[in-house]
Amino acid sequence: MADSTREVIKQYDRYVMNTYVRAPLVMTKGKGSRVWDVEGREYLDLFPGWGVSGLGYNHPWTMRALRGQSMRLIHASNNYYHPLQWRAAKALVEASFDGKVFFTNSGAEAVETAVKLSRRWGHGRHEIIVMERSFHGRTMAALSATGQSKYQEGFAPLVQGFVRVPFNDLEAVRQAVTPKTCAILLEPIQGEGGVRLAGDEFLKGVRRICDERQLLLIADEIQTGMGRTGQWFAYQHAGVEPDVLLLAKMLGGGFPIGAVVAKRAIADALTPGTHATTFGGNPLGCACILAVFEAVEAQGLLERVNQLSPVMFKRLEGIAARAPVIREIRGRGFMIGIELSVDGAAVVEACRAKRLLINCTQGRVLRLLPALTITRAELDRALSILEEVLLAVAKEVPR
Ligand SMILES: Cc1ncc(COP(=O)(O)O)c(C=O)c1O
């Protein structure tokens, strides 16, 4: 029997744990910014895989890397060596800062690694200052570091040692430092928190505090990294270098892999036997990382983001002028939040009915994370659909 949307959903209900809020869309195929469902309907995706498919679905270079490497070796134990892990690590170090890399399988695992690294490096200091409204993942330490209590309900006792302060409040950060503090963890742009940017002065101030008090500055760039904001990493906009950088999502161009880059002296705090992960840095993932670096460079994708982003913001400002349900437009590069005065779920649904996929976070913030390869025509089409939907919503809301 051929799968249909209804049949697939029925089987999920029966066999798959019900932990996700899912829309009734069964994806079967993707190419660039387009994706097809099981009934052959085509969608334009401005939120491809939560930013994972940042090169677009099935980018030819990632596919080529996967095909080639899968014929040679798909897994190698980390007790041996393979020729791609150092190459992927070198590419990351060259794009960020002089250091060493530990490869993980996900973002949360990168956060866990950073927590362990900070504690080992801290020699008895164990507290990590984290930001309100932050999001760092669902494993226990990452969840405990997350600055949104709604994700933590029912999971107590949490991992101890995370001290929460308001985002962008330098004085609060300063006051939270104690002799037990070893690190400050933040997202340069909070994604799940509603696309909220850390101010340049805040980032510079946090860097100063870290230097004065000998703390690690950990940048969680799991959502912002790999070119999404028009620089390889969002911290580069402020010229503030972290000590530890966390990556995942777009890093493997669709293949699940994460990474922790740490400055050399800090990286050495983790010695053989202190940390490990069976699949981390496997040949397939590393081949994909190299393909992503090559594609971003060869196709000039950072320049592309910097060219198209202002066009997109301008168009959105134009829509905002006519659709007063838009309260604010925020973001950087290809990471955009549109805060509404009304609930965003209906907007997401209305867009989906018109074959446009977007996201909403924090109830009222529409979030767009388009692929860096999206064409101008696709972007125009997507924004026209969004405009149509938002103008219709604005008509229904009393001023
Ligand atoms: C900033 C940030 N950190 C960590 C994570 C967790 O990553 P993963 O879902 O790969 O564990 C996410 C996921 O959305 C994220 O956006």
Side-chain angles (χ1 to χ4, degrees):
M1 182 185 42
D3 281 339
S4 67
T5 299
R6 194 184 305 181
E7 180 60 20
V8 171
I9 293 174
K10 193 171 129 201
Q11 300 302 342
Y12 260 63
D13 286 345
R14 180 147 188 210
Y15 293 112
V16 181
M17 273 202 209
N18 189 22
T19 68
Y20 299 96
V21 178
R22 298 183 202 266
L25 196 171
V26 179
M27 290 188 175
T28 54
K29 197 174 76 171
K31 192 170 192 307
S33 289
R34 291 173 303 153
V35 70
W36 285 264
D37 74 6
V38 70
E39 269 97 17
R41 285 179 290 254
E42 182 183 320
Y43 296 81
L44 191 49
D45 197 347
L46 256 68
F47 195 70
W50 293 72
V52 166
S53 298
L55 289 186
Y57 288 100
N58 293 17
H59 189 279
W61 294 29
T62 329
M63 300 304 280
R64 194 173 57 202
L66 273 176
R67 264 197 306 271
Q69 189 55 37
S70 67
M71 303 305 278
R72 285 188 284 274
L73 184 69
I74 63 172
H75 184 255
S77 157
N78 273 313
N79 300 110
Y80 302 112
Y81 298 86
H82 69 79
L84 295 177
Q85 203 176 112
W86 73 266
R87 286 200 171 90
K90 180 168 182 266
L92 281 166
V93 164
E94 284 177 356
S96 56
F97 46 78
D98 189 40
K100 286 185 176 182
V101 181
F102 181 87
F103 290 102
T104 68
N105 304 289
S106 69
E109 200 189 343
V111 175
E112 297 283 331
T113 303
V115 170
K116 284 182 71 180
L117 175 65
S118 307
R119 288 188 175 185
R120 285 278 295 194
W121 176 84
H123 284 293
R125 293 185 293 158
H126 71 278
E127 279 178 5
I128 299 179
I129 298 173
V130 297
M131 304 297 138
E132 278 174 14
R133 280 205 246 211
S134 61
F135 183 84
H136 299 293
R138 306 296 195 132
T139 55
M140 279 312 284
L143 182 69
S144 307
T146 289
Q148 300 185 62
S149 303
K150 66 177 180 188
Y151 294 115
Q152 299 168 340
E153 275 163 30
F155 298 112
L158 298 174
V159 175
Q160 298 298 294
F162 295 100
V163 178
R164 215 188 268 184
V165 298
F167 191 45
N168 274 329
D169 185 340
L170 196 58
E171 200 39 45
V173 175
R174 199 182 294 283
Q175 284 179 13
V177 179
T178 74
K180 291 190 217 143
T181 312
C182 61
I184 301 175
L185 166 63
L186 55 80
E187 297 153 88
I189 304 177
Q190 292 188 332
E192 303 307 302
V195 190
R196 291 171 197 281
L197 279 75
D200 285 3
E201 288 315 308
F202 176 68
L203 287 175
K204 286 180 186 153
V206 171
R207 179 68 270 177
R208 259 196 315 275
I209 294 172
C210 287
D211 292 340
E212 285 162 14
R213 306 293 298 263
Q214 285 174 10
L215 313 174
L216 299 185
L217 175 52
I218 308 169
D220 179 343
E221 296 235 18
I222 287 163
Q223 200 164 131
T224 51
M226 299 306 291
R228 166 123 332 267
T229 67
Q231 292 265 19
W232 277 114
F233 308 109
Y235 73 76
Q236 291 167 331
H237 291 285
V240 171
E241 204 169 80
D243 302 299
V244 180
L245 172 65
L246 311 182
L247 300 167
K249 291 211 191 287
M250 209 191 125
L251 180 62
F255 190 86
I257 188 161
V260 177
V261 187
K263 287 191 177 154
R264 241 161 239 286
I266 298 157
D268 291 343
L270 289 176
T271 52
T274 56
H275 196 52
T277 181
T278 300
F279 295 120
N282 66 75
L284 283 181
C286 290
C288 287
I289 292 178
L290 290 167
V292 170
F293 271 108
E294 281 164 20
V296 171
E297 262 157 21
Q299 299 190 308
L301 296 182
L302 298 183
E303 296 75 15
R304 199 182 156 65
V305 169
N306 291 319
Q307 257 169 23
L308 282 181
S309 173
V311 175
M312 197 159 35
F313 274 95
K314 194 162 169 225
R315 176 95 190 263
L316 287 169
E317 297 292 353
I319 299 173
R322 283 178 301 125
V325 284
I326 298 181
R327 271 207 184 134
E328 195 184 13
I329 298 162
R330 299 188 287 266
R332 190 160 233 168
F334 271 14
M335 180 166 183
I336 294 163
I338 305 163
E339 182 159 343
L340 305 178
S341 58
V342 296
D343 201 74
V347 175
V348 173
E349 213 177 300
C351 285
R352 196 172 64 248
K354 293 179 184 292
R355 311 274 175 87
L356 171 69
L357 306 181
I358 61 167
N359 169 263
C360 176
T361 185
Q362 300 290 319
R364 295 185 163 194
V365 183
L366 302 181
R367 183 170 34 162
L368 312 179
L369 297 175
L372 277 47
T373 50
I374 194 167
T375 65
R376 176 73 198 260
E378 285 167 337
L379 211 47
D380 284 343
R381 184 149 61 87
L383 292 174
S384 296
I385 296 173
L386 190 60
E387 176 170 17
E388 211 181 299
V389 170
L390 286 171
L391 288 178
V393 171
K395 252 193 209 159
E396 284 166 23
V397 175
R399 290 207 183 184

